[in-house]
Amino acid sequence: MSRASLFIPLGIFLLIVAVGYVGFSLDNRNELPSALLHQPFPEFSAGVLNDPDRRVSKADLLGHPTMVNVWATWCPTCKAEHAELMRIAELTDVRLVGVNYKDVAAKARRWLVDYGNPYEFVIVDQDGGLGVEMGVYGAPETFLLNAEGEVVYKRVGEVNQRIWRDELAPRLAEMGVYRMPAPEAQTPTTGAAR
Amino acid sequence: MIAELGQLSLALAACLALTAAAAGLFAHGPGTQLLRQSTVSMVVGQFVFAALAFAALVYSFATDDFSVSYVATHSNSLLPLPYKISATWGGHEGSFLLWILIMTIWMLLLTLRRDNYPVRFFSRVLGTMSLMNLGFLCFALFTSNPFERLIPMTPVDGADLNPLLQDFGLIVHPPLLYAGYVGLSVPFSFAVAALLEKRVDAAWARWSRPWTNFAWAFLSVGIALGSWWAYYELGWGGWWFWDPVENASFMPWLAATALIHSLAVTEKRGTFKSWTLLLAIAGFSLSLLGAFIVRSGVLTSVHAFAVDPERGMYILIFLGAVVGGSLTLYGLRAYGERADVGFKILSREFFMLINNVILVVSLAVVMWGTLAPIGYEALSGGRISIGVPFFNMFFVPLMLLLGVAVALVPVLNWKRTPWQSIKSTLTAVLPVSVLLGGVWWYTTDPKSAGVLAALIIALWIVFTHLLDLVKRLRQSRRLPLAYVGMSLAHIGFAVSVLGIAITATQSVEEDVRMAPNDVTALGIEEVRFLGVREVQGPNYVAQQGVFVVTNGNRTFELRPEKRRYLAGGNIMTEAGIDAGLFADTYISLGEPLGGGAWAVRLHYKPMVRWIWLGALLFAFGGMLAVMDKRYRKLRTRRDVAIKAALGSGTAG
Amino acid sequence: MNPKRKSRLYLALFLLVAVAGTTAALMVAMEENINMFYPPDQVVDGTAPLERTIRAGGMVKAGSVSRDPESLQVEFTITDHLGSDFIVSFTGILPDLFREGQGIIVQGELDQQGKFMAREVLAKHDENYMPPELMDMVAESGKNAEAKAAAKATP
């Protein structure tokens, strides 16, 4: 057996890696294709959690970039992402709207008292009807709408630091409701030149 | 506080793994003796800190510390204490911590046997193991930290452990399976050390063998437990689904089985060396591939992987480094390892070769069936599924062929076998097996020729091995444990084949609508449905069906349940099973159909237990072989003398 | 040829035959046992072949499940909520997580009328634990890519 033939296994392995790499890099399809992506947000009419007399409709989501977050008290991941939503509400000018999905109103109010309320208002979707219209398959889900009410981004699952940094922050900045911190400006050094 | 201590321990373990890897692999120059010797204590340190981290997580679970994110998402205050503890490895982060703990236990066991190996060789083994452990520790620390806190929003209660996991089978299944997966890193590290030291010889093979057997035994039991769990917990009555998660554990098992046999040839005959090295590399790499398949999200969809690629990419890169690195080492160092030892077709070597080819072909089939749908989706965006018939189409003939090879093992000699010694098994034992198998086949339900073949071959395996054990016992008083272990494992193979063949073809399955007091015939049994009542469990409410089964003179009651877990609202089916050595009666509730009637799944499964019984024999055989005295207290200095004394008469 | 070379030649031939045989058999088996997956719109618009084993999936339409009172026969509609619906007929026991609004997979054949005659109905954590084909549609809350063990039913 010649010496070079000992590298045959390595060669086969590298070939597989190369094929796999090419294959996967060809795959530049949209990340999570959503039924609603680049579509107008559906029409709806629903009650508001903390204001039983008020009704809201799609008109209430227009005119300003809006983030719609679908949540519920029975959803542990919603609990996990809540802090991030609080931060987003504080840092940006986006209109953050909640959809309380298939939940008990009393529990949901309690939740907002306990953990803080990042939302401008919370749409009540007790029977999940709006959720069906939105194509929601679980909670949490987060939709980003432009001022015209078109869905420009959708996140299925938790909004965490990484999603904020990589997906949300750039888009919100583009829409003009958030200013990306300049890399250096974040830690103001007192005058000392470097 | 405890959770932070856990995290600190993990970080310290990682530091020790780094230094141990560096010292073990590279400290071989003059004046580095002290450093090299300290590898052992650094390995012990890795174990201590991994155990501390694990204990910290268990403590967090036991005390309902829901400020720890992982605890909050995998436990609940209503959960019974044993499940709280087992919930520690009920999710991704915790099960990886368990994986690390088991890795350090393997290293600890290695250090207990350190006198058996040359110092430099051994420190390279520990160095390689530590390097692997470092990879795992970094994975845990950077991508899946089990100790992450949910501050300031500590939930009042946890989200509950998935009810599927609230079960004995799933408490013990992961630790055993991981012990097998991780255990394959030992023969891998031995192979790497052998390449580094340029001593790919019989001694190396003998050192590797008990560890390989040990890991393989764990893997066998782990897989069997998973299959048993799926059988009683999923409510389908199936025991193997060719599911990617199952395949992920089956692939390393196939590689390890091939490795065990190939190591035997390398030790006894000094040949198959390159092949053995490659199998040792493949075994551990397939464990990592399994981890990638299960952990990365490619299974749920390539999209899921693309959206959250952190974990998947980490494992993929680690896998690439391990495979690429070890194969490069192989290419550089394996030269000159060919020993040209001739052998005839009728020899043990040749049948080991057949065994290896069959196992590797089986491995290729499983790998293809598991990875092709993933690749297809990545390349074309479309979705395909590869059905069970695909796998069965290959495995039935392959395993029968393997069975023929196994049946001949006791009569085959190394190098060449005189025709006379095979003649008796072909002219006496085989005809008897054909006769008995034929009668058995005819009296049950003669349908498939495959079953006939399976029965004959399985009986043949059992007879040849038992006859040979008896013959050897007559010749000498003591049998080497390794030989008994091998025979048991081979008989276990036959037992599993019998169980699979009979269960697959002779089961009676009825999906029926039953109203109270309805009676359904189920094969030779008769099932009466009495009705459904509500029962209350510790953390669930259940609707319990009451069935009375009559089988001849025997009457028994089965109570399958439909449980609703309080914390998550999950619905679970709990089958009612009357387990017997020769047949199981299996009843599970479907759904209520109104008016007290239910959809009911009734199964009568003959010999289904034999499938797992066979796997237990595998494991028991493997363990017996580990106990064999020739693996014990072998000082390297006395290698040659002892090897000569033992001769090559004993089989492996 | 000396015996050593001869045996090596046999060995090489043996391996070659094994590799070639396996590859050929794999290809043939693939041809016969692959089940393509079709979403509802492809079932409706005729992309999916009739009278061949395929997989299809989508959501169970609310209010569409109708049972035969005397047997285990059940019919329901699968929809993608975008206007493509088709009817599925199945006889047997539905999985635990079969619910209206739930994403499921059916395996079977389309008959001439476009009705899906299902032989198997799969929902999460039964036989397939989690039908991968549906994950694009039924994406869940984040961390579900775990082992079968962690087939969590986070709604």
Side-chain angles (χ1 to χ4, degrees), chain B residues 352-398:
Chain B
M352 293 285 207
L353 183 69
I354 291 182
N355 149 306
N356 267 243
V357 170
I358 294 175
L359 287 169
V360 169
V361 168
S362 313
L363 176 60
V365 169
V366 180
M367 201 187 236
W368 179 260
T370 310
L371 297 183
I374 298 172
Y376 184 82
E377 194 203 342
L379 293 175
S380 75
R383 297 279 205 167
I384 53 169
S385 67
I386 291 184
V388 170
F390 169 85
F391 294 100
N392 289 349
M393 192 172 141
F394 284 97
F395 266 75
V396 173
L398 281 172

Coordinates of all heavy atoms in Angstrom, one line a residue, chain B residues 352-398:
Chain B
M352 N -14.6 -12.6 10.2 CA -14.6 -11.3 10.8 C -14.7 -10.2 9.8 O -15.3 -9.2 10.0 CB -13.3 -11.1 11.6 CG -13.2 -12.0 12.8 SD -14.2 -11.5 14.1 CE -13.3 -12.2 15.5
L353 N -14.0 -10.4 8.6 CA -14.0 -9.5 7.6 C -15.5 -9.3 7.0 O -16.0 -8.2 6.8 CB -13.1 -9.9 6.4 CG -13.0 -8.9 5.3 CD1 -12.3 -7.7 5.7 CD2 -12.2 -9.6 4.1
I354 N -16.1 -10.5 6.8 CA -17.5 -10.5 6.4 C -18.4 -9.7 7.4 O -19.2 -8.8 7.0 CB -18.0 -11.9 6.2 CG1 -17.4 -12.6 5.1 CG2 -19.6 -11.9 6.0 CD1 -17.8 -14.0 4.8
N355 N -18.2 -10.0 8.7 CA -18.9 -9.4 9.7 C -18.7 -7.9 9.6 O -19.7 -7.1 9.6 CB -18.4 -9.9 11.1 CG -18.4 -8.9 12.2 OD1 -17.9 -7.8 12.1 ND2 -19.1 -9.3 13.3
N356 N -17.5 -7.4 9.4 CA -17.2 -6.0 9.4 C -17.8 -5.4 8.1 O -18.4 -4.3 8.2 CB -15.7 -5.7 9.4 CG -15.2 -5.5 10.8 OD1 -14.7 -4.4 11.1 ND2 -15.3 -6.5 11.6
V357 N -17.8 -6.1 7.0 CA -18.4 -5.5 5.8 C -19.9 -5.4 6.0 O -20.5 -4.3 5.7 CB -18.0 -6.4 4.6 CG1 -18.9 -6.0 3.4 CG2 -16.6 -6.3 4.3
I358 N -20.5 -6.4 6.6 CA -22.0 -6.3 6.8 C -22.3 -5.2 7.7 O -23.2 -4.4 7.4 CB -22.5 -7.6 7.3 CG1 -22.3 -8.7 6.3 CG2 -24.0 -7.5 7.7 CD1 -22.7 -10.1 6.8
L359 N -21.6 -5.0 8.8 CA -21.9 -4.0 9.8 C -21.6 -2.6 9.2 O -22.4 -1.7 9.4 CB -21.0 -4.2 11.0 CG -21.5 -5.3 11.9 CD1 -20.4 -5.6 13.0 CD2 -22.8 -5.0 12.5
V360 N -20.6 -2.5 8.4 CA -20.3 -1.2 7.8 C -21.3 -0.8 6.7 O -21.8 0.3 6.6 CB -18.9 -1.1 7.2 CG1 -18.7 0.2 6.4 CG2 -17.9 -1.1 8.4
V361 N -21.8 -1.8 6.0 CA -22.8 -1.6 5.0 C -24.1 -1.2 5.7 O -24.8 -0.2 5.3 CB -23.1 -2.9 4.1 CG1 -24.4 -2.7 3.3 CG2 -21.9 -3.1 3.2
S362 N -24.4 -1.9 6.8 CA -25.6 -1.5 7.6 C -25.5 -0.1 8.1 O -26.5 0.7 8.0 CB -25.8 -2.4 8.8 OG -25.6 -3.7 8.5
L363 N -24.3 0.3 8.5 CA -24.0 1.6 9.0 C -24.3 2.6 7.9 O -24.9 3.7 8.1 CB -22.6 1.7 9.5 CG -22.1 3.0 10.0 CD1 -22.9 3.6 11.1 CD2 -20.6 2.9 10.4
A364 N -23.8 2.3 6.7 CA -24.0 3.2 5.5 C -25.5 3.4 5.2 O -25.9 4.5 4.9 CB -23.2 2.6 4.3
V365 N -26.2 2.3 5.3 CA -27.7 2.4 5.0 C -28.3 3.3 6.0 O -29.1 4.2 5.7 CB -28.3 1.0 5.1 CG1 -29.8 1.1 5.1 CG2 -27.8 0.1 3.9
V366 N -28.0 3.1 7.3 CA -28.7 3.9 8.3 C -28.3 5.4 8.2 O -29.1 6.3 8.2 CB -28.3 3.4 9.8 CG1 -29.0 4.3 10.8 CG2 -28.7 2.0 10.0
M367 N -27.0 5.6 7.9 CA -26.5 6.9 7.7 C -27.2 7.6 6.6 O -27.7 8.8 6.6 CB -25.0 6.9 7.5 CG -24.3 8.2 7.9 SD -22.6 8.1 7.4 CE -21.8 8.5 8.8
W368 N -27.3 6.9 5.5 CA -27.9 7.4 4.3 C -29.4 7.8 4.6 O -29.9 8.9 4.3 CB -27.8 6.4 3.1 CG -28.5 6.9 1.9 CD1 -29.7 6.6 1.4 CD2 -28.0 7.9 1.0 NE1 -30.0 7.3 0.3 CE2 -29.0 8.1 0.0 CE3 -26.8 8.6 0.9 CZ2 -28.8 9.0 -1.1 CZ3 -26.6 9.5 -0.2 CH2 -27.6 9.7 -1.2
G369 N -30.1 6.8 5.2 CA -31.5 7.0 5.5 C -31.7 8.2 6.5 O -32.8 8.8 6.5
T370 N -30.7 8.5 7.3 CA -30.9 9.5 8.3 C -30.5 10.9 7.7 O -31.2 11.9 7.9 CB -30.0 9.3 9.5 OG1 -30.2 7.9 9.9 CG2 -30.3 10.2 10.6
L371 N -29.4 10.9 6.9 CA -28.9 12.2 6.4 C -29.5 12.6 5.1 O -29.6 13.8 4.8 CB -27.4 12.1 6.3 CG -26.6 11.9 7.6 CD1 -25.1 11.9 7.4 CD2 -27.0 12.9 8.7
A372 N -30.0 11.7 4.3 CA -30.5 12.0 3.0 C -31.6 13.1 3.0 O -31.6 14.0 2.3 CB -30.9 10.8 2.2
P373 N -32.6 12.9 3.9 CA -33.7 13.9 4.0 C -33.1 15.3 4.4 O -33.6 16.3 3.8 CB -34.6 13.4 5.0 CG -34.4 11.9 5.1 CD -32.9 11.7 4.8
I374 N -32.1 15.3 5.2 CA -31.6 16.6 5.6 C -30.8 17.2 4.5 O -31.0 18.4 4.2 CB -30.6 16.4 6.8 CG1 -31.3 15.8 8.0 CG2 -29.9 17.7 7.2 CD1 -30.4 15.4 9.2
G375 N -30.0 16.4 3.8 CA -29.3 16.9 2.6 C -30.3 17.4 1.5 O -30.1 18.4 0.9
Y376 N -31.3 16.6 1.3 CA -32.2 16.9 0.2 C -32.9 18.3 0.5 O -33.1 19.1 -0.3 CB -33.3 15.8 0.2 CG -34.3 16.0 -1.0 CD1 -34.0 15.7 -2.3 CD2 -35.5 16.6 -0.7 CE1 -34.9 15.8 -3.3 CE2 -36.5 16.8 -1.7 CZ -36.1 16.4 -3.0 OH -37.0 16.6 -4.0
E377 N -33.3 18.5 1.8 CA -33.9 19.7 2.2 C -32.9 20.9 2.0 O -33.3 21.9 1.5 CB -34.4 19.7 3.6 CG -35.4 20.8 3.9 CD -35.5 21.2 5.3 OE1 -35.1 20.3 6.2 OE2 -35.9 22.3 5.7
A378 N -31.7 20.7 2.4 CA -30.7 21.8 2.3 C -30.5 22.1 0.8 O -30.3 23.3 0.5 CB -29.4 21.4 3.0
L379 N -30.5 21.1 0.0 CA -30.1 21.4 -1.4 C -31.3 21.9 -2.3 O -31.1 22.7 -3.1 CB -29.5 20.2 -2.0 CG -28.1 19.8 -1.4 CD1 -27.6 18.5 -2.0 CD2 -27.1 20.8 -1.7
S380 N -32.4 21.3 -2.0 CA -33.5 21.6 -2.9 C -34.7 22.3 -2.3 O -35.5 22.9 -2.9 CB -34.1 20.3 -3.6 OG -34.9 19.7 -2.6
G381 N -34.7 22.4 -0.9 CA -35.7 23.0 -0.2 C -37.0 22.2 -0.1 O -37.9 22.5 0.7
G382 N -37.0 21.1 -0.8 CA -38.2 20.2 -0.7 C -38.0 19.3 0.5 O -37.0 19.2 1.1
R383 N -39.1 18.5 0.7 CA -39.1 17.6 1.9 C -39.3 16.2 1.4 O -40.2 15.9 0.7 CB -40.2 18.0 2.8 CG -40.0 19.4 3.4 CD -39.1 19.3 4.5 NE -39.3 20.4 5.5 CZ -38.7 20.4 6.6 NH1 -38.0 19.4 7.0 NH2 -38.9 21.4 7.5
I384 N -38.5 15.3 1.9 CA -38.8 13.9 1.7 C -38.7 13.2 3.0 O -38.1 13.7 4.0 CB -37.8 13.2 0.7 CG1 -36.4 13.5 1.2 CG2 -38.0 13.7 -0.7 CD1 -35.3 12.6 0.5
S385 N -39.4 12.0 3.1 CA -39.1 11.2 4.3 C -38.8 9.8 3.7 O -39.3 9.4 2.7 CB -40.4 11.2 5.2 OG -41.4 10.5 4.5
I386 N -37.9 9.2 4.4 CA -37.5 7.8 4.0 C -38.2 6.9 5.0 O -38.1 6.9 6.2 CB -36.0 7.6 4.1 CG1 -35.4 8.5 2.9 CG2 -35.7 6.2 3.9 CD1 -34.0 8.4 2.7
G387 N -39.1 6.0 4.4 CA -40.0 5.2 5.2 C -39.3 4.0 5.8 O -38.2 3.6 5.5
V388 N -40.0 3.4 6.8 CA -39.5 2.2 7.5 C -39.2 1.1 6.5 O -38.2 0.4 6.6 CB -40.6 1.8 8.5 CG1 -40.2 0.4 9.0 CG2 -40.6 2.8 9.6
P389 N -40.0 0.9 5.4 CA -39.6 -0.2 4.4 C -38.2 -0.1 3.9 O -37.6 -1.1 3.6 CB -40.7 0.0 3.3 CG -41.8 0.7 3.9 CD -41.2 1.6 5.0
F390 N -37.7 1.1 3.7 CA -36.4 1.3 3.2 C -35.4 0.6 4.1 O -34.5 -0.2 3.6 CB -36.1 2.8 3.1 CG -34.6 3.1 2.8 CD1 -34.1 3.2 1.5 CD2 -33.7 3.4 3.9 CE1 -32.8 3.5 1.3 CE2 -32.4 3.7 3.6 CZ -31.9 3.7 2.3
F391 N -35.5 0.9 5.4 CA -34.5 0.3 6.3 C -34.7 -1.2 6.4 O -33.8 -2.0 6.4 CB -34.7 0.9 7.7 CG -34.3 2.4 7.7 CD1 -35.3 3.3 7.7 CD2 -33.0 2.7 7.8 CE1 -34.9 4.7 7.7 CE2 -32.6 4.1 7.8 CZ -33.6 5.0 7.8
N392 N -36.0 -1.7 6.5 CA -36.2 -3.1 6.7 C -35.7 -3.9 5.5 O -35.2 -5.0 5.6 CB -37.7 -3.3 6.8 CG -38.2 -2.8 8.2 OD1 -37.4 -2.5 9.1 ND2 -39.5 -2.8 8.4
M393 N -35.9 -3.3 4.3 CA -35.5 -3.9 3.1 C -34.0 -4.3 3.1 O -33.6 -5.4 2.6 CB -35.7 -3.0 1.9 CG -35.6 -3.5 0.6 SD -36.1 -2.2 -0.5 CE -35.0 -2.4 -1.8
F394 N -33.2 -3.5 3.8 CA -31.8 -3.8 3.9 C -31.5 -4.7 5.1 O -30.7 -5.6 5.0 CB -30.9 -2.5 4.0 CG -30.8 -1.8 2.7 CD1 -31.6 -0.8 2.4 CD2 -29.8 -2.2 1.8 CE1 -31.5 -0.1 1.2 CE2 -29.7 -1.6 0.6 CZ -30.5 -0.5 0.3
F395 N -32.1 -4.4 6.2 CA -31.7 -5.0 7.5 C -32.1 -6.5 7.5 O -31.4 -7.2 8.1 CB -32.2 -4.2 8.7 CG -31.2 -3.2 9.1 CD1 -30.9 -2.1 8.4 CD2 -30.4 -3.6 10.2 CE1 -29.9 -1.2 8.8 CE2 -29.3 -2.7 10.6 CZ -29.1 -1.5 9.9
V396 N -33.2 -6.8 7.0 CA -33.6 -8.2 7.0 C -32.6 -9.1 6.4 O -32.0 -10.0 7.0 CB -35.0 -8.5 6.5 CG1 -35.3 -9.9 6.4 CG2 -36.0 -7.7 7.3
P397 N -32.2 -8.9 5.1 CA -31.2 -9.8 4.5 C -29.8 -9.6 5.2 O -29.1 -10.6 5.4 CB -31.1 -9.4 3.0 CG -31.8 -8.1 3.0 CD -32.8 -8.0 4.1
L398 N -29.4 -8.4 5.5 CA -28.1 -8.2 6.1 C -28.0 -8.9 7.4 O -26.9 -9.5 7.7 CB -27.8 -6.7 6.3 CG -27.5 -5.9 5.0 CD1 -27.4 -4.4 5.3 CD2 -26.1 -6.3 4.5

